[in-house]
């Protein structure tokens, strides 16, 4: 359970950093159009923070942690972080 809480806090911090980076980067470059940087914050917040809070509650109530859950969690995190990295690269370019 503590693992899910730590992951949710990490993704919350990353979501906040992503939102601040989007705001400051576009302001610094005087950019007013649409960019993929705008969705980094929401992806990390919803798919990172809220999902792991939900898993924390499910684990607390139904004890869902096992070997397969850990594998799925690792694969999910790799996919989420790869997606966000590509959003950042595409948004900056």
């Amino acid at each position: 359970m503590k693992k899910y809480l730590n992951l949710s806090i990490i993704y919350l911090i990353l979501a906040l950093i992503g939102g601040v980076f989007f705001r400051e980067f576009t302001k610094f470059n005087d950019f007013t159009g649409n960019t993929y940087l705008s969705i980094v914050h929401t992806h990390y917040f919803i798919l990172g923070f809220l999902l792991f809070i939900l898993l924390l509650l499910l684990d607390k109530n139904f004890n869902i942690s096992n070997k397969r859950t850990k594998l799925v969690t690792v694969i999910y995190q790799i996919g989420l972080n790869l997606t966000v990295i590509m959003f950042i690269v595409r948004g900056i370019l």
Side-chain angles (χ1 to χ4, degrees):
M1 280 190 345
K2 186 156 175 89
K3 177 182 73 169
Y4 293 135
L5 180 63
N6 289 337
L7 285 172
S8 66
I9 291 171
I10 288 169
Y11 281 115
L12 177 64
I13 292 169
L14 288 173
L16 294 174
I17 290 171
V20 169
F21 178 74
F22 160 67
R23 186 175 57 110
E24 295 300 321
F25 185 78
T26 54
K27 186 190 303 181
F28 179 74
N29 292 316
D30 293 326
F31 184 77
T32 57
N34 292 331
T35 177
Y36 277 97
L37 291 175
S38 65
I39 58 176
V40 169
H41 169 73
T42 54
H43 272 71
Y44 265 149
F45 187 72
I46 293 171
L47 297 177
F49 173 70
L50 290 180
L51 179 90
F52 284 108
I53 289 293
L54 179 65
L55 283 176
L56 172 72
L57 294 174
L58 288 173
D59 189 33
K60 183 177 180 183
N61 291 325
F62 300 114
N63 198 13
I64 62 169
S65 289
N66 58 24
K67 197 176 223 182
R68 186 171 181 184
T69 308
K70 291 178 184 179
L71 177 65
V72 170
T73 304
V74 169
I75 293 171
Y76 178 79
Q77 289 183 66
I78 291 170
L80 176 61
N81 288 316
L82 184 62
T83 302
V84 170
I85 287 169
M86 294 312 296
F87 283 156
I88 292 170
V89 169
R90 179 95 189 245
I92 289 175
L93 295 178

